[in-house]
Amino acid sequence: MAGRVLELRVHGVSNTPPAQVLGLTPAPGEDSPRPWLVAGDEVTGFYRSTAVRPDDSVVVEAYSWGQLTSGARTARDVERALWTLLLPFTLANVALHARPGIPADPDQERWGSRSGITAWLIRLFCLSLTGTLVLAATGIGVDLIAWQCVDDECLRRLPGPWEFLAHGWWRQGPHALVVGLAVPLGLLVLLGLLAWRTYQYEAEMPAAPAADAPTQDAPATNPLQDHTFWCGEGQLRRSGVLHLCVGAAVAVAVPLGAVLAMDPPLGVRAVVAWPTVGLLVAVVTIAVVALGRPWLSRRAGDTPLGAWSVTVIVLTCAGIGGTVLLLLLPDGPAGTPLAQLRPPAGCLRDPATAGCAIDHSLPGYDWVIAWYGTGQVFLLAAIAAVSRSGRRAAAAPLAAALLLPLGFGWIAGWLPAAPAAPSWLDGWMLSAPALALAGVGLLLPRTGPATPATPRQPHADLAWGGRGPAVVAGFGWLLGIAYGAGMLYWVTARLTDGSPTDAGAGVVAPLPVMWAGLAFAVALLALAGLALRAGLLFYRLRRQEYAELVPAGNTLSAHDRRRCRDVSAFRALHRLVGEHALRLIGWYAALGALLGALGVAAALSHRAPDAATVTGWPTIIGTVADLGDALLGWLPVAIAAVGLLVYRNDTVRRSVGVLWDIGTFWPRAAHPLAPPSYAERAVPELQTRTAGLLALGEHDPRRVDGIILSGHSQGTVLCAAVILQLPARWRQRIWFFSYGSQLTRLYGRIFPAYFGPERLPALTDALRGPSGWPGWTNFWRPTDPLGWQVAAGERDLPVPDPDALHPTGGEVADPPIRNHGGYPDAAEFRRERARVTWLLRRPVPAPREGVD
């Protein structure tokens, strides 16, 4: 209807019900108006009040997207809670979008540029993170079950019919390892099926065709203007093939490498072994090269896999087949019979049996884990160095990654042209200098496009000094290591009556798992210290805010002083999150980097944590390591439980869910096995609804003159993405309301290429009407911990909170402190909406022919 303006409200992370978003409250003696689903479905729907009248000048409509990340108390909540177990993949994927200096036009990014090399390194790290999970599953299936668990008493502790591995032909040579491979390969199949089911989100296409995309109106000034940003089904399929195939290659390489080292192949075994090695090397090589190629990194909607993807699949299947065939062949004559290297039977009944006190784990598996983790540390150092200081900064971690293996080869005598290494030189003496050399790249000055312009307001600089991608990815790596170590420890404990570090039980956990437990225990202590530091900061900020609220003479009543204490607490939390949170996280990230470096150095020493030489310390260190390992075993369960509470408990969701929704906002452009992005469905749906209503004919009763996109909290990020995707002819009839927004203090600092001081003004420019007024109003409160000013050229309006310290207007209760909620009920919001409604209903000059 002519003269009507639609306010389209988009809620935040708390999955606010549509009735509450619409502000529907019952009148005295009447039933509450019910929301009416006008478009969409029960998962993502657009709702209006049934009390809307045809002559209303402003119609409020709510877009409910919370069912994508939370829902009712159903089994589906449990399924979604299990996605939290893939949190390491989520963080690694987010790291790609945290790069500074991403070109506004993705076609302008070159592999050799700072952002291009960083993107390639991050994708390599994501690939290695898939391998981390696979290595842990391989340790469970191949090492613990198929290799070390040799008798019925041990195998009976596992669910399922595993006892056949202790008898007959399966006990000979490496035959049982074929069955053990079912664990990691089955995990990869499960991940592939889960990822394949979620590709439907990436298949959602925006409302505007490519020819009308904003990148065609004018040169792009923000990567979110790329019309393929939310359409990456084909890219996900191709990268998913690479991850699954490389994961399979890693899984089969563990038993294959162990057999080749223990029993060098001859004759028929050699004919099978070396081509298989070549196939697996080809798979990894193709993946490493492909991760930097445009055909994989560009998002182009529903596109086929291509010949290279099919080639990788064929090579992987051939490599798996060759490995299985080699493991099923009889032992060769060149090496020690493999049966002599496995633990003897009966160790659980009688640990004093000859050979039970010796570590009989799969030869080489400990070294594989140690070197794999060391390579990931060097990769993270390279990501941080290049992101902060440019591609030349990668020289330090690259040199360390080359020198450390050479040093170990020198000690082992594998370098024939080099003199013999001193007898006193040990591997751990080389690890610390190499890791220190890699860390030099992190301390180089920030240069080039990673250096931001002068901030428009305090606390708007780059998070963590430009090392954001490595910090985010590093937390994902630490969590992935914790998951893997916890699973290995838990399975070992189940097989050994709770003594996984006792070699006398016949089954022993890998040595790096023990060091991971020690590091985890230290990390928990550090986390407690960080919480204490945050508490002290909060106390100091609260005292400062209270001093500003209470007059010098302290003439307020006891009631008003109590109210001032309550208000000062929320204001202190607002400042703590906005001014100190990222710095506190940076301190913890630095400690995590130190623990990670020391952990891989200790794992390379090939010594147990309780083998220290200092008198009195071995028992303490061993006890702490065991405690940390035991806690690691429960970590996946604890995170899944928190994830379930996030979906089912509003209080937990408001405090924790914001982090999860930040992670799953971004499309899976780096890790295809991460949980799906809700924005890949929400943004196209909002775009379709907005453009569709504005395109209605003049006599259509559903027609609106303009739309106020009203986003709260995370909803402001969704609205910003929608606006940057819309053609200019629709943006001229849109006004943006943001409240409780994290666009600057959080998104702008962690994701500067999208919301930083140089890129966020593109949103203001996109909303600038023909008269030059900015079509954006931002509301914020000094008591809102997640809402701040934006300072990108928009209109900033502070909202007082609370309205008063004591009851007013005949009320008997104190005005509530709304902090992060209730913005549409504020008088400032209603006045601004009336002003914007008048502006949007004014005739807008038609654009010239051929110009949007």
Side-chain angles (χ1 to χ4, degrees):
M1 178 174 291
R4 174 176 287 190
V5 172
L6 175 70
E7 182 192 351
L8 180 53
R9 293 181 181 175
V10 184
H11 65 77
V13 300
S14 58
N15 190 23
T16 309
Q20 187 175 341
V21 175
L22 295 172
L24 301 181
T25 55
E30 297 181 3
D31 294 333
S32 173
R34 297 183 61 82
W36 167 40
L37 180 65
V38 296
D41 53 32
E42 294 181 354
V43 178
T44 54
F46 295 83
Y47 295 84
R48 294 185 186 179
S49 171
T50 54
V52 172
R53 295 172 298 182
D55 58 345
D56 287 342
S57 60
V58 179
V59 176
V60 180
E61 184 172 293
Y63 176 61
S64 177
W65 58 270
Q67 294 289 334
L68 294 174
T69 57
S70 63
R73 297 174 182 270
T74 63
R76 185 167 175 81
D77 285 348
V78 179
E79 177 186 349
R80 280 190 288 242
L82 295 178
W83 282 115
T84 57
L85 297 178
L86 298 180
L87 186 56
F89 295 167
T90 303
L91 294 173
N93 181 72
V94 170
L96 183 75
H97 303 283
R99 292 172 295 147
I102 302 175
D105 184 355
D107 292 329
Q108 300 300 317
E109 185 174 65
R110 297 294 179 262
W111 181 89
S113 64
R114 178 203 300 261
S115 62
I117 292 179
T118 307
W120 180 61
L121 292 173
I122 291 174
R123 288 192 171 99
L124 287 180
F125 174 78
C126 289
L127 191 67
S128 74
L129 203 59
T130 301
T132 298
L133 186 62
V134 171
L135 272 179
T138 304
I140 293 172
V142 174
D143 181 23
L144 298 181
I145 297 177
W147 182 261
Q148 297 191 57
C149 213
V150 296
D151 53 28
D152 289 336
E153 187 173 358
C154 178
L155 293 169
R156 200 175 293 119
R157 298 170 182 266
L158 298 170
W162 295 91
E163 289 88 346
F164 70 93
L165 294 177
H167 304 284
W169 182 79
W170 289 106
R171 286 203 61 179
Q172 301 174 12
H175 299 162
L177 301 185
V178 175
V179 180
L181 281 175
V183 175
L185 295 181
L187 175 64
L188 288 172
V189 170
L190 177 62
L191 290 176
L193 291 176
L194 289 175
W196 201 270
R197 288 180 56 190
T198 62
Y199 289 166
Q200 59 184 337
Y201 287 173
E202 288 75 8
E204 293 281 348
M205 299 300 291
D212 287 338
T215 53
Q216 303 296 324
D217 299 334
T221 55
N222 192 302
L224 287 173
Q225 293 174 293
D226 176 23
H227 67 277
T228 66
F229 192 86
W230 304 106
C231 310
E233 181 183 11
Q235 181 207 32
L236 271 178
R237 294 179 190 275
R238 294 189 296 272
S239 58
V241 165
L242 292 181
H243 276 252
L244 294 175
C245 289
V246 171
V250 170
V252 299
V254 171
L256 177 63
V259 170
L260 292 181
M262 294 182 296
D263 187 9
L266 296 174
V268 177
R269 292 171 57 84
V271 173
V272 175
W274 298 121
T276 301
V277 172
L279 291 172
L280 299 179
V281 171
V283 169
V284 176
T285 302
I286 292 174
V288 169
V289 174
L291 289 176
R293 303 303 299 165
W295 66 269
L296 180 75
S297 58
R298 296 293 182 266
R299 300 174 68 80
D302 185 11
T303 52
L305 289 177
W308 280 109
S309 298
V310 176
T311 301
V312 171
I313 294 174
V314 172
L315 293 176
T316 303
C317 292
I320 294 174
T323 302
V324 171
L325 178 59
L326 180 66
L327 296 178
L328 295 180
L329 289 174
D331 287 351
T336 304
L338 301 181
Q340 297 181 11
L341 301 175
R342 302 180 69 184
C347 288
L348 284 175
R349 293 191 309 271
D350 184 11
T353 302
C356 288
I358 303 174
D359 183 357
H360 288 281
S361 58
L362 185 69
Y365 181 64
D366 290 357
W367 285 109
V368 169
I369 297 178
W371 280 107
Y372 197 88
T374 304
Q376 288 178 312
V377 169
F378 289 141
L379 198 53
L380 286 170
I383 292 171
V386 176
S387 174
R388 174 179 170 84
S389 307
R391 54 189 179 184
R392 294 181 179 179
L398 179 61
L402 293 175
L403 292 176
L404 185 58
L406 289 177
F408 270 80
W410 181 41
I411 294 175
W414 295 343
L415 303 179
S423 58
W424 51 266
L425 186 62
D426 204 347
W428 66 268
M429 300 179 184
L430 303 177
S431 302
L435 292 168
L437 175 60
V440 170
L442 281 67
L443 304 178
L444 296 177
R446 191 163 12 125
T447 60
T451 304
T454 303
R456 299 173 184 264
Q457 61 173 326
H459 310 289
D461 55 333
L462 280 180
W464 309 304
R467 308 178 190 91
V471 171
V472 177
F475 278 120
W477 176 70
L478 292 175
L479 196 56
I481 294 292
Y483 277 6
M487 289 189 299
L488 286 166
Y489 187 91
W490 185 85
V491 173
T492 309
R494 183 177 179 86
L495 297 174
T496 59
D497 285 330
S499 56
T501 59
D502 182 11
V507 180
V508 62
L511 189 60
V513 171
M514 306 177 195
W515 287 108
L518 179 61
F520 184 67
V522 176
L524 287 181
L525 291 176
L527 185 61
L530 185 72
L532 178 60
R533 171 61 178 166
L536 293 175
L537 278 173
F538 175 77
Y539 177 74
R540 188 187 72 186
L541 294 172
R542 183 178 178 179
R543 291 187 61 183
Q544 293 176 0
E545 294 297 329
Y546 182 78
E548 292 182 6
L549 291 173
V550 177
N554 195 9
T555 58
L556 297 178
S557 65
H559 171 273
D560 288 346
R561 289 198 301 270
R562 178 183 60 81
R563 290 281 286 167
C564 286
R565 284 194 294 270
D566 294 340
V567 174
S568 64
F570 282 101
R571 290 192 174 187
L573 185 60
H574 171 84
R575 291 183 58 187
L576 179 66
V577 175
E579 299 174 9
H580 302 281
L582 290 185
R583 185 173 71 252
L584 292 174
I585 294 174
W587 289 351
Y588 195 69
L591 176 64
L594 179 61
L595 287 176
L598 293 177
V600 297
L604 288 175
S605 70
H606 213 62
R607 296 177 181 175
D610 56 359
T613 57
V614 181
T615 303
W617 282 99
T619 301
I620 298 176
I621 294 176
T623 302
V624 173
D626 287 342
L627 177 61
D629 281 321
L631 294 174
L632 279 176
W634 289 100
L635 181 63
V637 178
I639 291 182
V642 172
L644 184 61
L645 289 177
V646 164
Y647 294 123
R648 300 176 60 152
N649 186 282
D650 289 341
T651 302
V652 178
R653 177 151 183 79
R654 288 190 179 97
S655 56
V656 180
V658 61
L659 301 177
W660 178 252
D661 282 358
I662 290 174
T664 54
F665 167 79
W666 299 101
R668 293 175 285 183
H671 205 303
L673 305 181
S677 165
Y678 60 87
E680 286 165 333
R681 178 169 176 176
V683 171
E685 286 188 347
L686 279 168
Q687 186 180 355
T688 301
R689 181 66 175 169
T690 302
L693 290 176
L694 293 175
L696 292 174
E698 182 177 355
H699 300 290
D700 194 305
R702 298 169 297 170
R703 180 181 182 272
V704 294
D705 279 355
I707 293 179
I708 301 175
L709 270 180
S710 180
H712 173 239
S713 188
Q714 187 69 15
T716 64
V717 185
L718 288 172
C719 290
V722 170
I723 292 168
L724 290 171
Q725 289 278 314
L726 287 172
R729 65 174 180 272
W730 305 132
R731 296 197 303 263
Q732 292 178 7
R733 297 165 60 187
I734 290 177
W735 199 288
F736 180 28
F737 278 5
S738 59
Y739 40 97
S741 173
Q742 309 99 33
L743 286 177
T744 52
R745 294 291 177 93
L746 184 60
Y747 275 88
R749 301 179 67 185
I750 300 178
F751 309 107
Y754 304 93
F755 303 103
E758 293 79 22
R759 295 292 173 83
L760 195 56
L763 182 61
T764 308
D765 296 337
L767 290 166
R768 200 172 299 278
S771 61
W773 36 258
W776 182 4
T777 305
N778 180 66
F779 304 88
W780 65 280
R781 292 190 180 112
T783 56
D784 186 350
L786 296 177
W788 304 278
Q789 306 97 314
V790 175
E794 82 299 339
R795 174 180 166 87
D796 261 320
L797 287 181
V799 178
D801 187 44
D803 296 333
L805 293 178
H806 46 76
T808 58
E811 295 288 340
V812 295
D814 291 327
I817 302 175
R818 298 185 180 274
N819 56 86
H820 193 53
Y823 278 93
D825 298 329
E828 292 77 9
F829 188 97
R830 294 194 295 268
R831 285 195 297 266
E832 182 68 7
R833 189 177 68 174
R835 184 184 76 89
V836 170
T837 300
W838 177 78
L839 289 173
L840 289 176
R841 294 174 65 185
R842 295 175 60 191
V844 178
R848 290 179 295 176
E849 184 69 19
V851 179
D852 278 339

